[in-house]
């Protein structure tokens, strides 16, 4: 596992973004882990988050793209901090763009988008915190495709929960890839998290011991995507 992935897992725990215990998800599922990307709130956390996204995007998609598109609302700061990090780490200027929940009908920046406008020929990387069902892509992809003749290179999320999507077999990221025809990736997967944290101290504490590992395995027996 790449060192930045190991660091990112520790960063999620340190930032209280990734938690372990017993949680009831919006879907009603009882999960032994929970991720809340809204817990990244400080300047230093956001700076580091952008760097991890930039490294993962560079690793998966290289430099051959023009725009980072972050769906509103959580995708807005993600696209901004990652564009900054990409410039600092790789010396390439990437534009950011996000959609508005409500179209602005006044001012010089009126319309459905924030940041850079999308132009014919643009290559776009989508960026989100986590994809659970793929619903946000149902709304976002038509907006992006309808704005200009662009190519969506791929999607990057921070954590692949590796759970079945709406189809009941594949994970949501695979479903998005199959449906829209572009690559989907995550900085880390839950398999990476378990592999790295199992019986390993993190922030002075064992986060995944034998009991929790068994609970996670039981959860995936019920809700895990088929490989």
């Amino acid at each position: 596992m790449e060192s930045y992935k190991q660091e990112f897992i520790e960063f999620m725990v340190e930032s209280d973004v990734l938690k372990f215990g017993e949680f009831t998800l919006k879907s009603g599922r009882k999960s032994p882990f929970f991720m809340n990307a809204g817990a990244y709130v400080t300047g230093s956390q956001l700076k580091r988050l952008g760097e991890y996204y930039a490294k993962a995007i560079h690793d998966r998609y290289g430099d051959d793209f023009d725009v980072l598109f972050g769906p509103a609302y959580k995708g807005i700061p993600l696209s901004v901090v990652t564009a900054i990090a990409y410039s600092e780490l790789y010396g390439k200027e990437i534009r950011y763009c996000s959609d508005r929940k409500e179209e602005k009908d006044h001012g010089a920046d009126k319309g459905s988008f924030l940041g850079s406008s999308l132009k014919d020929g643009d290559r776009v990387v989508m960026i989100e915190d986590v994809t659970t069902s793929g619903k946000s892509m149902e709304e976002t992809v038509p907006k992006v495709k309808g704005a200009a003749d662009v190519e969506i290179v791929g999607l990057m999320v921070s954590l692949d929960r590796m759970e079945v999507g709406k189809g009941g077999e594949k994970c949501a990221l695979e479903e998005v890839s199959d449906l829209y025809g572009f690559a989907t990736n995550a900085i880390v997967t839950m398999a990476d998290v378990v592999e790295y944290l199992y019986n390993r101290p993190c922030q002075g504490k064992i986060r995944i011991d034998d009991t929790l590992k068994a609970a996670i395995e039981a959860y995936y027996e019920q809700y895990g995507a088929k490989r």
Side-chain angles (χ1 to χ4, degrees):
M1 189 188 309
E2 295 90 334
S3 60
Y4 77 84
K5 293 187 176 184
Q6 298 175 357
E7 293 170 7
F8 183 66
I9 292 169
E10 295 199 10
F11 174 57
M12 284 194 292
V13 175
E14 171 193 325
S15 302
D16 209 27
V17 166
L18 182 61
K19 301 179 181 182
F20 301 96
E22 293 183 6
F23 306 93
T24 301
L25 305 181
K26 186 177 181 180
S27 62
R29 296 175 183 175
K30 306 291 185 180
S31 174
F33 58 90
F34 182 73
M35 180 196 169
N36 173 26
Y40 297 119
V41 293
T42 69
S44 61
Q45 287 174 336
L46 290 168
K47 182 177 186 295
R48 289 178 64 188
L49 181 62
E51 291 170 351
Y52 290 124
Y53 266 104
K55 289 175 181 177
I57 290 170
H58 188 267
D59 185 29
R60 295 290 187 172
Y61 303 125
D63 287 328
D64 189 17
F65 67 100
D66 310 290
V67 180
L68 281 168
F69 190 94
Y73 288 104
K74 288 183 179 179
I76 297 173
L78 292 180
S79 60
V80 172
V81 298
T82 304
I84 294 169
Y86 218 92
S87 175
E88 292 180 345
L89 290 174
Y90 304 111
K92 178 166 183 176
E93 296 290 7
I94 300 295
R95 291 146 41 216
Y96 97 91
C97 181
S98 297
D99 59 329
R100 301 179 192 267
K101 289 293 187 181
E102 295 180 359
E103 185 169 345
K104 185 178 179 182
D105 61 3
H106 62 280
D109 62 341
K110 66 181 180 180
S112 302
F113 298 96
L114 292 167
S116 172
S117 60
L118 295 171
K119 305 172 184 176
D120 289 350
D122 277 342
R123 289 170 56 81
V124 179
V125 171
M126 313 283 277
I127 184 169
E128 280 199 306
D129 55 346
V130 63
T131 296
T132 302
S133 67
K135 180 174 175 57
S136 63
M137 289 294 105
E138 291 180 11
E139 301 170 355
T140 304
V141 171
K143 283 186 181 180
V144 172
K145 291 280 194 179
D149 183 14
V150 304
E151 177 185 354
I152 299 177
V153 176
L155 167 68
M156 181 64 69
V157 303
S158 60
L159 176 68
D160 180 358
R161 288 183 59 97
M162 301 173 61
E163 297 175 38
V164 291
K166 293 185 297 183
E169 292 191 3
K170 297 180 179 179
C171 73
L173 284 179
E174 287 182 285
E175 288 183 346
V176 168
S177 181
D178 289 348
L179 183 59
Y180 298 110
F182 53 76
T184 56
N185 289 285
I187 302 176
V188 293
T189 67
M190 271 307 297
D192 294 329
V193 171
V194 174
E195 175 189 338
Y196 183 69
L197 290 182
Y198 177 54
N199 281 339
R200 181 195 300 268
C202 181
Q203 302 296 305
K205 180 180 177 181
I206 298 292
R207 306 288 170 163
I208 301 181
D209 57 13
D210 289 341
T211 301
L212 189 56
K213 185 171 185 287
I216 292 173
E217 289 173 349
Y219 183 76
Y220 280 118
E221 280 292 318
Q222 187 170 5
Y223 299 118
K226 296 178 181 179
R227 296 289 175 177

